[in-house]
Amino acid sequence: LQTRMQSLQPDPKAQYRSVYEALKKIVRTEGFWRPLRGINVTMLGAGPAHAMYFACYEKMKKSLSDTIQHGGNSHLANGIAGSVATLLHDAVMNPAEVVKQRMQMFNSPYKSVLACIRTVQKTEGFGAFYRSYTTQLTMNVPFQAIHFITYEFMQEQINPHREYNPRSHIVSGAVAGAVAAAATTPLDVCKTLLNTQENVALSSVNISGHLSGMVNAFKTVYQLGGISGYFRGVQARVIYQMPSTAIAWSVYEFFKYFLTKHKLEKRT
């Protein structure tokens, strides 16, 4: 839904006024499973990407907090650790995101994930999978910095003793996801344009070939949609991120608690 709603010059058959209307129209005209198209490639990359992401975050957060605040909770350490962890995470997830978004566009010509990978590789080269990597980092570094700082801040407020408390992890994760998602929507619109390379939209502003780079994407979005163009799909983005970050944090905190408890039991 987010990819479709961020389309700057959509097909008349793919114009939506709200998230609910978009979902209803896609299911009715393109089938029940259409909104989930491309999810398999995301799931494939998500496992290793998140493993590296949380392992790197936990290690760096501890090391930096020891240095900056002598073991206390440092928001600066949380922000830096989250930003560095993003470099590893996005190296795995960026190609998966390119494939997913191309498959989710209206009238997508790709029949399967493999067909999409082969076609993009053959027609645009390997670089197409990383064309939006720097843009992704430009977006995700502030997103993850805001995300981790907000999560740790929320934990300080509602779970000051930092015990395993599923409700506090879900609430903190959801709030952190919503705040970070809303703040970085303009960057996400630019990333979607770079990933999908909408021919109709680009030709209307006399851009031939492939659009590349964050600065060019920002200019093009403004030419096509003005200031409001930067906030297309903000509602869908927040709705998508809230459960995503809530689930990610609750699962992570559960396994952290479970493995720590198991380790202590083994020692005793």
Side-chain angles (χ1 to χ4, degrees), residues 97-111:
E97 184 77 1
V98 170
V99 174
K100 184 197 80 171
Q101 288 194 321
R102 287 188 182 230
M103 291 187 73
Q104 287 176 343
M105 290 302 285
F106 183 73
N107 276 342
S108 174
Y110 311 108
K111 297 283 180 273

Side-chain angles (χ1 to χ4, degrees), residues 87-159:
L87 297 174
L88 293 174
H89 176 270
D90 286 2
V92 176
M93 288 305 292
N94 201 83
E97 184 77 1
V98 170
V99 174
K100 184 197 80 171
Q101 288 194 321
R102 287 188 182 230
M103 291 187 73
Q104 287 176 343
M105 290 302 285
F106 183 73
N107 276 342
S108 174
Y110 311 108
K111 297 283 180 273
S112 68
V113 168
L114 275 175
C116 182
I117 293 168
R118 282 198 198 105
T119 308
V120 172
Q121 168 72 32
K122 197 157 70 174
T123 58
E124 299 176 48
F126 181 74
F129 295 108
Y130 283 94
R131 191 179 286 129
S132 66
Y133 182 57
T134 50
T135 310
Q136 181 93 328
L137 290 177
T138 308
M139 181 187 76
N140 278 355
V141 166
F143 176 92
Q144 297 301 356
I146 295 166
H147 171 207
F148 282 106
I149 289 167
T150 307
Y151 178 81
E152 299 288 358
F153 173 78
M154 287 295 295
Q155 282 291 284
E156 275 185 345
Q157 306 309 307
I158 62 177
N159 186 17

Side-chain angles (χ1 to χ4, degrees), residues 57-69:
Y57 171 70
E58 200 62 45
K59 179 70 180 167
M60 281 207 70
K61 181 181 84 165
K62 192 175 184 308
S63 303
L64 289 169
S65 289
D66 287 345
T67 307
I68 298 167
Q69 213 159 310

Side-chain angles (χ1 to χ4, degrees), residues 195-225:
N195 273 352
T196 56
Q197 298 289 318
E198 292 176 74
N199 291 327
V200 177
L202 296 179
S203 61
S204 71
V205 285
N206 298 320
I207 294 174
S208 56
H210 299 299
L211 180 70
S212 62
M214 182 55 124
V215 175
N216 288 336
F218 250 96
K219 285 178 186 170
T220 309
V221 170
Y222 185 75
Q223 282 177 281
L224 290 162

Side-chain angles (χ1 to χ4, degrees), residues 256-268:
K256 186 176 163 186
Y257 164 75
F258 175 77
L259 292 169
T260 307
K261 190 182 170 194
H262 184 66
K263 203 174 177 182
L264 284 170
E265 282 172 357
K266 274 183 81 175
R267 280 180 186 170
T268 52

Side-chain angles (χ1 to χ4, degrees), residues 171-183:
V171 171
S172 298
V175 171
V179 171

